[in-house]
Amino acid sequence: MKRKPRRVPSDSDKGMPLDSFCAMDGSTLVLNVLGTPSAGCDAIGQPKGKQLRISVTATPVAGRATDHMVRYLAGEFGVTPDAIEVVFGRYNINKQLRIRAPQSLPAVIARHLAQDNLTFDS
C-alpha cells in the first residue's frame, strides 16, 4: 500500500494582511520579510513588492537563520530579541514579524511610514 505524503499545514494564512511591507498596529511594527540566509553580511535591503529584503549570514538549518535575524533586527530596532515575534515563516524565507515598541527605525522603514503619514513616537 502506498503512503500519502504528509502535508504540513501552511501558515501563510496567519498574520496581519498588509498593503505594503510594513505597517504600524498601535505601537507594534508589523513587517513582512523576504529573508536571504547564508549571505555575506547581515543587512536590511530594499522592498520587493509587499516584502522587505533582509539578509543574514546564518545558515538555514532548524530555524537558526530566523533566530539570527531576530537578534540582528533587535539591535537595529533598539529592542530586546523577545520583543520580536515571528508570526509565521520560522522555517521559510517568507516571514511576518511583529516588533513591539521599536525605539528606532531603519531608514527604509522610516521613509515608508512617513510617506503613508503614519506617526512613530519613540
Side-chain angles (χ1 to χ4, degrees):
M1 182 156 99
K2 232 179 190 182
R3 289 178 50 171
K4 290 184 181 180
R6 184 175 153 223
R7 286 197 57 155
V8 177
S10 170
D11 59 1
S12 62
D13 60 336
K14 297 177 185 174
M16 180 177 157
L18 300 179
D19 291 332
S20 68
F21 67 91
C22 69
M24 293 301 294
D25 183 17
S27 64
T28 300
L29 176 69
V30 182
L31 190 63
N32 284 338
V33 172
L34 176 61
T36 302
S38 304
C41 64
D42 297 332
I44 296 174
Q46 295 300 312
K48 179 180 181 183
K50 293 183 180 183
Q51 294 178 300
L52 180 64
R53 294 178 192 217
I54 299 178
S55 303
V56 293
T57 55
T59 57
V61 177
R64 288 186 195 134
T66 300
D67 294 342
H68 182 83
M69 180 183 291
V70 166
R71 288 189 302 274
Y72 166 66
L73 292 177
E76 295 293 307
F77 287 97
V79 298
T80 60
D82 63 341
I84 300 177
E85 173 192 0
V86 179
V87 179
F88 65 80
R90 178 161 164 69
Y91 303 105
N92 195 309
I93 61 171
N94 302 301
K95 308 175 186 313
Q96 187 173 91
L97 307 176
R98 292 181 62 84
I99 304 168
R100 288 187 311 274
Q103 298 302 302
S104 61
L105 294 175
V108 66
I109 295 171
R111 280 192 307 269
H112 179 76
L113 292 177
Q115 282 178 340
D116 288 349
N117 294 323
L118 298 174
T119 59
F120 171 71
D121 301 320
S122 58

